[in-house]
Amino acid sequence: MALQQIVEQTVAGLGYDLVEIERSAGGLLRVTIDLPWAAPTLEDAAAGVPEPFVTVEDCEKVTRQLQFALEVDGVDYKRLEVSSPGIDRPLRNEQDFERFVGEVIDITLKAPMGAAAAGQVSATRKKFRGTLERVALVEGAVGAQGWQIVWSDAPEPKPGQKVSKKRAPATLQALGFVLDELREARLAPIVDFKGRKAKTQPGFSDIDDGTQVPD
């Protein structure tokens, strides 16, 4: 079987979602996993129940099973690394976009803006960063939903800088899209030291002729 199929079947069989597979220099095979996601219930949201996250034990379990499956199928690699998604987690499908509504994301279009830019941005621009929002594709149509990102090109106030209450609101721009128009989409790797809650917590397991699980 192809590598993608082997890994997908193994990860899904253990009850996890496959986020990404990457082959790196030196024979490193990196696999990123996550827990299956379901929209929180109203009761959970009201109670502030935190979203579960991948642990080191989860990564270790997947690592051991993958090592066996890859050996059976004769996959060539030198080191296997299984981890949870980082702060630049890829968004792959509708469920991922639904999950991260309200987060700042980076998107890359398959084709440049071209005439659709209408002079508001460069016609050759393909990369954008903004806050992910839902939008209706057809007014009044049930289930017809698309996506947009919203951003402002105004500079952010510097730390400690006082902002006048009379200051005019920053001009906002919005870009609507459907998933088929995207080459790539990821959570923006923004570190907020004021306490932004991470959607996923780091888990990690690494195998190289044995098992090494860091503290």
Side-chain angles (χ1 to χ4, degrees):
M1 289 190 292
L3 174 62
Q4 180 82 19
Q5 187 178 1
I6 297 170
V7 175
E8 281 184 347
Q9 288 185 359
T10 303
V11 170
L14 293 172
Y16 302 94
D17 283 343
L18 175 62
V19 176
E20 198 169 30
I21 301 175
E22 180 185 357
R23 277 190 179 273
S24 301
L28 172 64
L29 178 60
R30 182 178 289 114
V31 176
T32 306
I33 64 170
D34 204 354
L35 298 175
W37 179 79
T41 64
L42 293 176
E43 291 79 8
D44 287 345
V49 176
E51 186 175 323
F53 55 83
V54 172
T55 66
V56 172
E57 289 73 23
D58 294 321
C59 294
E60 183 180 16
K61 179 168 65 174
V62 173
T63 299
R64 295 187 184 282
Q65 190 63 31
L66 270 179
Q67 185 187 38
F68 173 76
L70 295 172
E71 182 178 352
V72 168
D73 281 86
V75 177
D76 182 31
Y77 72 97
K78 294 187 181 300
R79 192 160 62 107
L80 173 63
E81 176 184 301
V82 177
S83 64
S84 62
I87 58 175
D88 61 343
R89 183 197 201 282
L91 308 183
R92 311 151 300 160
N93 50 43
E94 291 280 352
Q95 187 179 66
D96 285 346
F97 280 80
E98 182 71 26
R99 177 179 182 178
F100 293 106
V101 164
E103 295 289 330
V104 179
I105 69 170
D106 291 324
I107 65 171
T108 302
L109 302 175
K110 293 178 180 177
M113 288 293 294
Q120 296 184 9
V121 297
S122 170
T124 61
R125 186 170 176 180
K126 296 169 66 176
K127 296 185 177 181
F128 297 84
R129 171 177 291 185
T131 301
L132 177 63
E133 297 181 349
R134 303 181 188 90
V135 293
L137 289 177
V138 180
E139 185 175 354
V142 177
Q145 180 172 284
W147 307 98
Q148 70 177 15
I149 55 172
V150 177
W151 75 94
S152 170
D153 290 328
E156 291 288 334
K158 296 180 181 179
Q161 178 182 352
K162 293 183 178 180
V163 179
S164 172
K165 295 181 179 179
K166 297 181 180 180
R167 181 181 178 181
T171 301
L172 296 178
Q173 293 179 271
L175 173 67
F177 60 87
V178 294
L179 301 196
D180 285 346
E181 295 177 298
L182 301 184
R183 181 179 302 279
E184 184 181 49
R186 290 180 177 270
L187 292 179
I190 298 173
V191 178
D192 184 351
F193 294 103
K194 294 183 180 180
R196 169 182 170 184
K197 295 181 180 179
K199 290 291 185 178
T200 55
Q201 297 292 329
F204 174 84
S205 182
D206 182 25
I207 282 188
D208 182 2
D209 296 325
T211 304
Q212 302 164 0
V213 181
D215 297 332

